[in-house]
Amino acid sequence: MNKYKVGGCVRDKLLDYDYTEIDWVVVGSTPQDLLDKGFLQVGSGFPVFLHPQTKEEYALARTERKSGVGYKGFEFFTDVNVTLEEDLSRRDLTINAMAEDSDGNIIDPYGGQKDLSQKILRHVSDAFLEDPLRILRVARFAARYHHLGFKVADETLSLMAHISDSGELVHLAAERVWVETNKALQEKTPSIYIEVLRQCNALSKLFPEIDRLFNVPQSMSKANTGMHTLLSLDYSAALDNDPSTRFAVLIGNVGKGIDAACIEQHNEDVNIKIVHDLCNRLKTPNRYREIATAVTKYRSFCHNSRSLDPSTIVEMFKGVGAFKASSNLIQFVSCCEADANASKESRAASYDAGIWLIKVFNEIQLVDNKALMKKGFSGEQLGQEIDRCREQIIAKLIEKKF
């Protein structure tokens, strides 16, 4: 049994880039051989084995044949005679089609090291066309390595456009789209993921709500709303590592792309419905939906927080979940800061509206709920009295120009 490290761990080791997972391919072996050595088999469509100690993934060298639609439309073939080169040939990009043997030697039959040195994301072969998921993966790798200067090869981008136009993208499961998108949101330059999808005509198929924003003028700016959104997205990446924050920034403006009425006049119900529909389609975690909804509904409130009346400010705090957890407010303000300051030349500029809002929130936290209960307030009346006290404090802070 010959085993080789493959894929991302080899690529990132050569790039001197952090990685945590190590994947292996096994040549000249059978499933029973691995089971006899104590490996645990997982997966049904194609067997993958977990090492009994390290729990790292081991897969038998395999070839594949297109037999249906989508990324699941393949038949896999494993055999003791399948070579390492044959296994590597089915991979998406040349930089992912390298292996490392037990002595540290790099096996690179498709020019991955050359493309690493030239900072090019290039497909291995025309078999790339058979798997629509590869569009998302290439876009994600472009976001991952953009800061290092990597670009998608023109010929690879052409194949991606061909896949987009073929209708295959509709066969991608929502879960797979979300997995790749969520990973891309965690990269240093997540906007590149969206840009690459747009360049190959995939954005309009996968995220039409976002694609439409590039036709919407951005008020007080020469940019369109799509461009502003991407600037905001990268700004948020510099502020916050939480992908749910970045997702909220990415989709917080999608309501503007529906019709002219939504461009000229804020339509809260329409905007929130679009956000919820998008989250439903992608099957996002609840946390992503909650922060995206809060940003969509209350972002303009935050930008204009100093001009709001006390009751509206309290309503906003409730709406963003600040009283449940102060971290909710911090995350919400971070999203609003990205939206407000994205187009500014200096990212060091403070977001005064958000800073003021957090200070106000800290002040109204001084309301003593237990003291009010001792005075006889309870139930709905207690809630109303707490809000009245909060509003009084805010009114005094506004009067003092706090």
Side-chain angles (χ1 to χ4, degrees):
M1 181 175 73
N2 296 311
K3 59 183 182 179
Y4 303 86
K5 294 178 182 178
V6 291
C9 62
V10 179
R11 175 196 69 227
D12 286 342
K13 179 181 178 181
L14 292 172
L15 280 175
D16 195 23
Y17 203 88
D18 289 340
Y19 64 92
T20 56
E21 295 183 357
I22 298 178
D23 293 325
W24 300 80
V25 67
V26 180
V27 178
S29 191
T30 67
Q32 192 59 49
D33 292 335
L34 291 173
L35 293 173
D36 290 344
K37 294 178 181 296
F39 283 73
L40 176 65
Q41 182 174 333
V42 295
S44 56
F46 175 79
V48 174
F49 300 84
L50 301 182
H51 190 282
Q53 279 79 46
T54 67
K55 305 305 179 186
E56 292 169 348
E57 291 190 357
Y58 285 66
L60 296 175
R62 69 186 193 251
T63 58
E64 64 186 21
R65 179 173 64 84
K66 184 75 169 175
S67 59
V69 295
Y71 73 100
K72 289 185 176 180
F74 292 89
E75 292 181 11
F76 298 105
F77 303 92
T78 62
D79 185 88
V80 293
N81 295 315
V82 175
T83 67
L84 176 64
E85 288 74 16
E86 287 174 326
D87 180 274
L88 295 175
S89 71
R90 67 178 179 81
R91 297 175 185 267
D92 49 10
L93 298 174
T94 60
I95 65 170
N96 295 331
M98 296 181 288
E100 180 183 322
D101 66 17
S102 58
D103 295 323
N105 298 310
I106 302 299
I107 297 91
D108 178 20
Y110 303 106
Q113 291 180 96
K114 180 180 179 181
D115 283 342
L116 277 182
S117 66
Q118 295 182 349
K119 303 184 186 302
I120 294 175
L121 303 175
R122 191 194 314 278
H123 63 284
V124 175
S125 72
D126 285 348
F128 181 93
L129 285 165
E130 297 176 349
D131 187 352
L133 185 63
R134 289 176 170 177
I135 286 184
L136 295 170
R137 282 177 53 82
V138 173
R140 174 166 63 83
F141 284 125
R144 179 178 176 84
Y145 298 120
H146 175 76
H147 68 288
L148 298 179
F150 276 77
K151 303 290 184 183
V152 181
D154 290 341
E155 59 270 29
T156 301
L157 202 58
S158 294
L159 291 184
M160 292 165 68
H162 183 81
I163 295 173
S164 296
D165 295 338
S166 72
E168 281 267 318
L169 290 175
V170 301
H171 299 291
L172 284 176
E175 292 86 352
R176 293 303 303 165
V177 175
W178 174 245
V179 165
E180 294 298 328
T181 300
N182 194 38
K183 288 180 179 179
L185 289 172
Q186 298 173 61
E187 303 296 357
K188 290 181 179 294
T189 320
S191 68
I192 299 300
Y193 176 74
I194 301 298
E195 285 191 3
V196 171
L197 292 180
R198 188 164 179 256
Q199 288 170 9
C200 68
N201 303 321
L203 190 65
S204 61
K205 277 82 170 178
L206 296 169
F207 303 102
E209 303 91 342
I210 298 172
D211 187 64
R212 286 192 291 258
L213 297 180
F214 291 90
N215 296 318
V216 178
Q218 178 70 14
S219 60
M220 307 298 290
S221 172
K222 294 181 180 180
N224 57 55
T225 302
M227 294 168 60
H228 173 82
T229 296
L230 296 189
L231 288 170
S232 301
L233 180 57
D234 284 345
Y235 192 103
S236 71
L239 290 175
D240 193 329
N241 290 325
D242 190 332
S244 67
T245 302
R246 302 177 186 191
F247 179 71
V249 171
L250 174 62
I251 72 169
N253 282 312
V254 291
K256 293 183 178 181
I258 290 300
D259 55 37
C262 289
I263 300 172
E264 299 298 330
Q265 181 177 359
H266 178 72
N267 188 327
E268 178 183 298
D269 292 338
V270 171
N271 289 351
I272 292 176
K273 183 181 185 304
I274 296 168
V275 167
H276 286 183
D277 288 347
L278 177 55
C279 290
N280 288 339
R281 189 175 76 243
L282 293 176
K283 300 181 181 179
T284 64
N286 288 338
R287 178 57 192 158
Y288 287 73
R289 177 197 297 266
E290 290 167 358
I291 183 62
T293 300
V295 170
T296 301
K297 187 171 184 178
Y298 294 107
R299 177 184 54 233
S300 62
F301 286 33
C302 186
H303 291 338
N304 300 289
S305 58
R306 284 184 175 273
S307 63
L308 299 177
D309 60 74
S311 63
T312 302
I313 293 175
V314 171
E315 175 196 338
M316 176 173 55
F317 286 146
K318 289 181 179 179
V320 302
F323 296 120
K324 295 178 181 178
S326 59
S327 59
N328 290 338
L329 178 62
I330 301 298
Q331 186 179 17
F332 166 73
V333 168
S334 178
C335 293
C336 296
E337 177 178 352
D339 178 70
N341 291 345
S343 300
K344 295 183 179 179
E345 292 184 4
S346 174
R347 290 192 175 182
S350 62
Y351 180 48
D352 294 336
I355 294 172
W356 183 82
L357 205 58
I358 292 172
K359 288 181 178 179
V360 167
F361 178 75
N362 290 335
E363 290 293 318
I364 66 173
Q365 290 293 80
L366 299 176
V367 173
D368 191 340
N369 297 357
K370 292 182 179 180
L372 294 177
M373 293 172 67
K374 288 181 179 180
K375 290 182 179 181
F377 290 101
S378 63
E380 185 178 343
Q381 287 185 332
L382 174 61
Q384 292 173 348
E385 183 63 17
I386 291 172
D387 283 348
R388 190 185 69 80
C389 293
R390 290 166 173 167
E391 291 169 15
Q392 280 185 335
I393 293 173
I394 296 173
K396 290 179 180 178
L397 293 175
I398 293 173
E399 185 179 345
K400 292 192 318 184
K401 297 183 179 180
F402 176 69

